[in-house]
C-alpha cells in the first residue's frame, strides 16, 4: 500500500471508530488452483539456459577481469602491480592508491566469479534433481491405462 493511500485510509471517516481491518492482496478466485496467471512454471530448458549463461559469464570474467595478473612477468606479478610498485618507489602517492584499487577490484571480481559459479552449479543440480523427481512422480501417479493423471483428477484427492 502506498504512503498516500495509507494517509487517505487514516483520514477516512470511521477509521478511528471502526475495528482494525486487514486487506490481503490475492488472485481473483477463478485463477486459483485452476492454472491461472499466478502459477509459477519453469521448464528444464529455462533452467539450463540460465545456468549456461551464468557459466559463460563466469568463463568470460575469469579470463578478462584479472587486472592483478594481466601482463604477468616471470615472477607472476602483473603489469598493474608493477606499475603501482614503480609509482610508489618514485614517491608518488598514486602507487598506494593503485595497489588498493587492484586489491578491491580483485576481491570484487572473485565475489562475482563465485556467484556465477554458484548459480551455474545450482541450476545444473536443480535441473538434474527435478528431472529425477519428475520421473519418480510420473511413475507413481499413472492412470489405469498407464498414462499420466490429469491435474483435475489429482485435485479430487485433496477435497
Amino acid at each position: 500500500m502506498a504512503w498516500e493511500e495509507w494517509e487517505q485510509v487514516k483520514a477516512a471517516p470511521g477509521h478511528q471508530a471502526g475495528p482494525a481491518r486487514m486487506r490481503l492482496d490475492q488472485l481473483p478466485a477463478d485463477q486459483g488452483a485452476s492454472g491461472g496467471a499466478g502459477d509459477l512454471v519453469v521448464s528444464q530448458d529455462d533452467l539450463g539456459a540460465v545456468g549456461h549463461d551464468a557459466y559463460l559469464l563466469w568463463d568470460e570474467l575469469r579470463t578478462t577481469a584479472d587486472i592483478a595478473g594481466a601482463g604477468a612477468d616471470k615472477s607472476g606479478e602483473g603489469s598493474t602491480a608493477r606499475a603501482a610498485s614503480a609509482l610508489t618507489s618514485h614517491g608518488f602517492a598514486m602507487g598506494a592508491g593503485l595497489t588498493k584499487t587492484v586489491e578491491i577490484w580483485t576481491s570484487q571480481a572473485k565475489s562475482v566469479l563465485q556467484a556465477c559459479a554458484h548459480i551455474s552449479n545450482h541450476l545444473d543440480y536443480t535441473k538434474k534433481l527435478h528431472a529425477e523427481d519428475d520421473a519418480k512422480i510420473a511413475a507413481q501417479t499413472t492412470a489405469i491405462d498407464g498414462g499420466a493423471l490429469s491435474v483435475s483428477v489429482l485435485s479430487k484427492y485433496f477435497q
Side-chain angles (χ1 to χ4, degrees), residues 3-19:
W3 185 259
E4 295 82 23
E5 185 180 357
W6 173 242
E7 291 298 328
Q8 289 173 0
V9 169
K10 288 189 333 185
H15 176 70
Q16 286 81 9

Side-chain angles (χ1 to χ4, degrees), residues 32-54:
S34 65
D39 290 343
L40 174 63
V41 177
V42 179
S43 70
Q44 297 298 325
D45 291 340
D46 294 336
L47 291 176
V50 172
H52 180 69
D53 287 346

Side-chain angles (χ1 to χ4, degrees), residues 4-154:
E4 295 82 23
E5 185 180 357
W6 173 242
E7 291 298 328
Q8 289 173 0
V9 169
K10 288 189 333 185
H15 176 70
Q16 286 81 9
R21 295 180 297 164
M22 180 173 25
R23 183 187 84 194
L24 298 176
D25 290 332
Q26 59 187 7
L27 290 173
D30 63 338
Q31 289 186 351
S34 65
D39 290 343
L40 174 63
V41 177
V42 179
S43 70
Q44 297 298 325
D45 291 340
D46 294 336
L47 291 176
V50 172
H52 180 69
D53 287 346
Y55 172 79
L56 292 176
L57 179 58
W58 173 84
D59 192 44
E60 182 73 19
L61 284 173
R62 182 181 56 84
T63 57
T64 59
D66 182 19
I67 64 170
D73 59 7
K74 291 180 182 179
S75 69
E77 189 175 50
S79 58
T80 306
R82 288 195 314 271
S85 295
L87 287 167
T88 302
S89 69
H90 287 92
F92 289 99
M94 186 177 164
L98 185 55
T99 299
K100 189 66 174 173
T101 300
V102 170
E103 289 172 4
I104 293 170
W105 174 265
T106 300
S107 171
Q108 295 297 317
K110 285 181 181 179
S111 296
V112 173
L113 283 168
Q114 289 173 348
C116 289
H118 180 72
I119 291 167
S120 177
N121 291 341
H122 181 73
L123 289 175
D124 287 344
Y125 172 77
T126 300
K127 180 180 173 182
K128 180 180 180 279
L129 181 66
H130 287 298
E132 292 171 0
D133 288 346
D134 287 347
K136 287 179 189 174
I137 291 169
Q140 294 172 353
T141 57
T142 56
I144 295 172
D145 65 357
L149 287 176
S150 67
V151 174
S152 60
V153 172
L154 288 172

